[in-house]
Amino acid sequence: MYLSLRIAALLSVVAGSFSTYTAKRCSEHNATVQPIHIFPNGTSLESLAVRANGQILATVITTPDLYLINPTINSSVSLIHTFPGYTSLLGIVEVELDQFYVIAGNFSFAGDVSTTGSYSVFHVDMGLYLYPALDSFVRKVADFPDGQLLNGLGLLCKEKGLVYIADSYAGVVRLLNVYTGGNHVAINDTLTQPATDGLGVNGVHVSPDSKYLYFTNTNRKILARVPIHPDGRAIGQAKVVASDIPVDDFTFDRDGNVILALNSDNEIGKIDVETGDVMVLAGSLDSTLLEDPTMVRFGRRGEDKRSVYVSRNGGIGEATQVGGGVLRIDLGELA
């Protein structure tokens, strides 16, 4: 989710400073960006997940809609479910094969307003999607009466059904058991909290070696990590991996480095988790094709495992607004 950072970025432009992390850039590339599906203006995408068959599930933050998109250039799109009683969809994560979990809640871009207590997590069983007569493929898992802005989702343990949830306004990371609905605050660190008003912890994902929870903090403009116990609790203090970067959500490449949506700079970057150096893979400040990227996911088919799919927010409320969308970036040996 980008809005608070976008406001900060606009202020920095007025001051004459476009990117605060320029000194950390070790190199730049111009990987090819291709449109998979572009939505009309006013439709802003927030998150996405890639199915084992290659299809893409995309959440919309301006409406409570979940879409299914084929991974082909200029693909068609299917609206598979609208969540009544909510205004927005946010994070999405797969736990078991074709078993997805999605956050629904009430968030408004007008004034960057979130309704505390409006957030819920739903189970979306894509195995039942084509067989609606058998059972409903969407069911509620849990409500969060004290949740301020549930945002990013990350898998901790498939077998136990444990999922991390970023509560961005509260500045904490919650842990949800998707099989029981039980949940609690698992991580509350200075680095998960916003430094001032705005989004704190945003994207949350467990490292490939399962030793750390990596997270972004939009307000602090950092990527950080905290050592974790298998039960989800922190076993040490969080530390900054990279700083002064316009962060949203991310994923890991085959070497354990972070591929990150640098949203207000309209770029996709690669961060070396040992040095904090940033390599810009695609995009630029004046790019409209990559305007406000929010999430990055690798393909899962043989032909796209070196490609990432990116959700585009599209720049809500700006004169240069474009519609949200899903894009593909072929990285080759860069990832």
Side-chain angles (χ1 to χ4, degrees), residues 46-68:
E46 173 60 18
S47 191
L48 54 82
V50 179
R51 301 178 69 192
N53 67 3
Q55 290 181 318
I56 302 158
L57 288 167
T59 67
V60 180
I61 198 169
T62 45
T63 57
D65 295 331
L66 180 64
Y67 285 94
L68 183 65

Side-chain angles (χ1 to χ4, degrees), residues 8 83 87 90 122-123 160 166 197 230 266 282 293 330:
F83 293 74
T87 64
L90 295 100
F122 287 83
H123 176 204
K160 296 181 179 179
D197 291 340
N266 305 333
D330 297 317

Side-chain angles (χ1 to χ4, degrees), residues 14-30:
V14 173
S17 173
F18 290 89
S19 294
T20 58
Y21 66 98
T22 303
K24 284 188 170 289
R25 297 189 186 204
C26 57
S27 60
E28 295 188 17
H29 296 268
N30 189 23

Side-chain angles (χ1 to χ4, degrees), residues 76-88:
S76 60
V77 61
S78 299
L79 173 62
I80 66 170
H81 193 72
T82 295
F83 293 74
Y86 301 90
T87 64
S88 306

Side-chain angles (χ1 to χ4, degrees), residues 59-190:
T59 67
V60 180
I61 198 169
T62 45
T63 57
D65 295 331
L66 180 64
Y67 285 94
L68 183 65
I69 306 169
N70 289 319
T72 55
I73 305 304
N74 296 320
S75 173
S76 60
V77 61
S78 299
L79 173 62
I80 66 170
H81 193 72
T82 295
F83 293 74
Y86 301 90
T87 64
S88 306
L89 296 189
L90 295 100
I92 184 171
V93 67
E94 184 179 35
V95 175
E96 295 183 276
L97 180 65
D98 249 355
Q99 307 302 305
F100 295 87
Y101 295 83
V102 62
I103 296 170
N106 295 337
F107 176 84
S108 172
F109 276 112
D112 209 3
V113 175
S114 173
T115 302
T116 297
S118 68
Y119 292 88
S120 305
V121 170
F122 287 83
H123 176 204
V124 179
D125 184 346
M126 290 302 295
L128 292 178
Y129 168 60
L130 294 178
Y131 307 98
L134 296 179
D135 195 5
S136 172
F137 74 103
V138 176
R139 66 174 180 85
K140 185 185 289 187
V141 172
D143 293 318
F144 294 80
D146 59 343
Q148 295 184 35
L149 174 53
L150 302 194
N151 194 348
L153 284 173
L155 177 64
L156 172 61
C157 181
K158 176 179 69 174
E159 292 74 19
K160 296 181 179 179
L162 299 178
V163 171
Y164 282 118
I165 305 175
D167 191 337
S168 294
Y169 279 169
V172 300
V173 180
R174 301 174 182 271
L175 189 68
L176 168 68
N177 185 321
V178 298
Y179 301 139
T180 68
N183 61 87
H184 64 276
V185 173
I187 298 172
N188 185 357
D189 189 279
T190 299

